[in-house]
C-alpha cells in the first residue's frame, strides 16, 4: 500500500448537533502525532461536518507531513446544503494544499443512505431497512434510480469542487452505489468484510483493483464485542439511540473481545496490501460519544460497539489503546 491511513473524527453534524463535544487543538495535535509516530501512518482521512474543524485538523496533519484526505461528511442535508458545504470545504482544502501538502478532497460518503432524496425513508436507519427489506425487483429499481440521481449530483459537486480546489478528488461509496468513477481520481469504497461475504472478499478487492484506477478503502473495521467481526457492517447496531441518533446504551450484555477486533483488522489489511490497494483508512481512531464505562451496568459501556482502536474515557479526550491499536501499528510497520 502506498498510503497507510487512519480515519480521524472531527465531529459528525446532524440536525445542528455535533457528536464530538471536545475539540481541543492540543489534543488534536497530540492524536495526529500518535497516528503518525505510533501507528506508522503516512496518511489520515479527516471526517466531520464542521468546516473550521476540518481545516484546522488538516493544517496540523499537513505540518506533520501526513497526506490529508479532506472529507466533509454530509448527514441529513439537502443537495443545496451539501453543495454549500463542499464549496466552503474546497476553499479550505485548497488553502492547506497550497502549503505544499498532498491533499485529496472527498466529495461525500455513502450519500444515498446518509441523506434524503435518494431512497425512501425519514432517516438513515429507515432508508437502510426499507432497501434491505424490499423484494429483489424493487431493490434493483431503488439501487438503479438512487445511483442515477447520485451520479447526477456528483457531476455538479465535482465541477464546483474543482473550481476551488486543485488537488485530487474522490467519493466514498458503499458497494450498492453504482458510481461513475470517470470524474474522480480514485475509486474509493467503504468495504467491510462479514462472515457472509468472507469467501468472496478477496476476489472483490481484486476486481476493484483490476479496473485500473487507484483504489482506496476508506472505511473498514469492526467492534470489540465477541462475534462482531462476523457482522462487521452492522456491528454498531447493538446500540440504542435517542430520536436524534445519539447513542444511549447497548441493547443487551455483550462479551468484550478486543483480540477479535485486532485479528479482523490484521486479516483485512493483509488482503488489501496483497491485492494492490493504493490507500487504506482504518475506521477509526476514536469516537468520543462511545465512551468506555467499566465497572457499572455493562449496557452502558458503549465502547464495546465502537469501531475505534482506542478506549475513550468518559471525559471525551483521554484514551487507552485497544489490541486493535497495536495490530494496526504492526501491520503498517511492515
Amino acid at each position: 500500500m502506498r498510503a497507510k491511513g487512519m480515519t480521524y473524527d472531527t465531529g459528525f453534524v446532524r440536525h445542528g448537533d455535533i457528536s464530538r463535544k471536545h475539540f481541543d487543538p492540543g489534543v488534536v495535535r497530540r492524536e495526529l502525532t500518535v497516528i503518525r509516530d505510533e501507528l506508522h501512518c503516512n496518511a489520515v482521512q479527516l471526517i466531520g461536518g464542521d468546516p473550521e474543524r476540518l481545516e484546522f485538523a488538516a493544517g496540523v496533519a499537513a505540518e506533520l507531513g501526513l497526506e490529508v484526505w479532506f472529507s466533509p461528511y454530509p448527514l441529513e442535508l439537502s443537495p443545496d446544503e451539501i453543495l454549500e458545504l463542499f464549496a466552503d470545504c474546497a476553499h479550505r482544502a485548497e488553502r492547506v494544499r497550497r502549503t505544499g501538502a498532498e491533499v485529496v478532497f472527498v466529495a461525500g460518503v455513502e450519500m444515498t443512505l446518509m441523506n434524503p432524496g435518494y431512497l425512501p425513508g425519514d432517516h438513515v436507519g429507515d432508508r437502510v431497512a426499507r432497501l434491505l427489506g424490499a423484494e429483489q425487483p424493487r431493490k434493483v429499481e431503488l439501487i438503479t434510480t438512487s445511483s442515477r440521481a447520485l451520479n447526477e449530483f456528483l457531476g455538479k459537486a465535482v465541477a464546483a469542487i474543482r473550481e476551488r480546489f486543485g488537488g485530487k478528488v474522490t467519493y466514498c461509496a458503499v458497494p450498492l452505489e453504482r458510481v461513475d468513477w470517470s470524474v474522480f481520481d480514485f475509486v474509493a469504497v467503504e468495504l467491510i468484510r462479514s462472515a457472509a461475504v468472507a469467501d468472496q472478499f478477496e476476489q472483490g478487492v481484486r476486481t476493484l483493483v483490476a479496473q485500473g484506477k487507484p483504489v482506496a478503502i476508506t472505511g473498514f473495521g469492526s467492534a470489540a464485542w465477541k462475534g462482531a467481526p462476523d457482522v462487521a457492517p452492522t456491528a454498531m447496531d447493538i446500540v440504542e439511540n435517542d430520536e436524534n441518533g445519539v447513542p444511549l446504551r447497548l441493547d443487551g450484555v455483550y462479551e468484550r473481545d478486543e483480540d477479535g477486533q485486532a485479528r479482523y483488522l490484521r486479516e483485512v489489511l493483509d488482503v488489501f496490501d496483497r491485492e494492490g490497494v493504493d490507500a487504506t483508512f482504518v475506521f477509526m481512531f476514536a469516537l468520543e460519544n462511545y465512551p468506555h464505562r467499566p465497572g457499572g451496568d455493562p449496557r452502558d459501556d458503549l465502547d464495546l460497539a465502537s469501531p475505534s482502536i482506542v478506549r475513550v474515557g468518559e471525559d471525551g479526550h483521554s484514551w487507552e489503546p485497544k489490541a486493535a491499536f497495536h495490530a494496526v501499528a504492526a501491520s503498517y510497520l511492515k
Side-chain angles (χ1 to χ4, degrees), residues 2-317:
R2 179 193 61 81
K4 302 176 179 182
M6 176 60 58
T7 300
Y8 186 80
D9 171 37
T10 65
F12 296 96
V13 177
R14 181 188 280 108
H15 303 308
D17 185 52
I18 194 161
S19 63
R20 182 173 179 176
K21 305 302 183 186
H22 306 91
F23 191 80
D24 179 88
V27 171
V28 172
R29 185 175 297 275
R30 176 175 65 88
E31 291 177 340
L32 290 173
T33 302
V34 167
I35 286 171
R36 183 193 66 178
D37 294 349
E38 297 184 34
L39 291 172
H40 311 294
C41 293
N42 58 9
V44 64
Q45 179 180 215
L46 304 168
I47 63 173
D50 184 314
E52 289 187 7
R53 287 187 177 189
L54 285 167
E55 184 177 12
F56 173 79
V60 173
E63 289 174 15
L64 293 171
L66 293 165
E67 179 173 308
V68 177
W69 286 48
F70 198 110
S71 183
Y73 202 114
L75 285 173
E76 304 298 348
L77 297 181
S78 70
D80 286 345
E81 289 171 325
I82 296 172
L83 286 174
E84 183 179 354
L85 174 65
F86 285 175
D88 185 359
C89 286
H91 278 301
R92 295 171 184 272
E94 179 64 9
R95 284 201 290 261
V96 177
R97 193 184 74 87
R98 289 188 176 180
T99 67
E102 183 69 29
V103 182
V104 176
F105 192 94
V106 182
V109 183
E110 305 182 5
M111 285 204 293
T112 60
L113 299 178
M114 298 297 174
N115 297 279
Y118 297 101
L119 293 166
D122 296 330
H123 53 79
V124 59
D126 188 16
R127 289 188 281 272
V128 172
R130 291 193 188 199
L131 177 62
L132 295 180
E135 296 293 333
Q136 189 61 24
R138 175 60 173 159
K139 188 177 296 183
V140 171
E141 178 189 355
L142 288 172
I143 291 172
T144 300
T145 56
S146 63
S147 294
R148 185 182 303 122
L150 174 65
N151 284 317
E152 182 179 346
F153 173 80
L154 288 175
K156 298 175 184 176
V158 170
I161 290 163
R162 292 199 189 276
E163 286 178 3
R164 299 163 173 84
F165 175 72
K168 295 177 180 177
V169 181
T170 191
Y171 167 76
C172 294
V174 284
L176 63 86
E177 293 173 327
R178 307 293 185 250
V179 175
D180 175 8
W181 294 111
S182 66
V183 300
F184 295 109
D185 299 292
F186 294 88
V187 172
V189 182
E190 312 270 289
L191 200 63
I192 308 175
R193 191 191 71 182
S194 67
V197 299
D199 61 338
Q200 310 161 41
F201 186 76
E202 192 159 350
Q203 181 58 53
V205 176
R206 190 173 304 140
T207 300
L208 282 172
V209 173
Q211 296 179 54
K213 190 164 282 193
V215 171
I217 309 300
T218 48
F220 62 95
S222 183
W225 53 274
K226 191 173 184 63
D230 288 341
V231 293
T234 57
M236 298 179 75
D237 288 357
I238 65 170
V239 174
E240 295 176 350
N241 302 298
D242 69 11
E243 64 276 7
N244 296 315
V246 176
L248 299 175
R249 66 189 68 82
L250 305 183
D251 63 10
V253 176
Y254 294 84
E255 180 181 348
R256 180 171 288 273
D257 183 17
E258 292 190 9
D259 288 340
Q261 181 189 28
R263 183 167 53 252
Y264 177 93
L265 286 172
R266 283 195 301 269
E267 290 172 357
V268 296
L269 281 169
D270 188 48
V271 170
F272 298 150
D273 191 35
R274 186 167 60 247
E275 295 301 330
V277 168
D278 180 74
T280 55
F281 295 92
V282 176
F283 190 87
M284 63 173 26
F285 184 74
L287 273 179
E288 175 190 297
N289 58 340
Y290 282 71
H292 180 43
R293 294 168 175 150
D297 185 336
R299 294 182 62 196
D300 292 332
D301 188 6
L302 289 170
D303 173 70
L304 278 174
S306 173
S308 69
I309 63 168
V310 300
R311 292 179 230 104
V312 180
E314 193 74 66
D315 59 10
H317 57 79

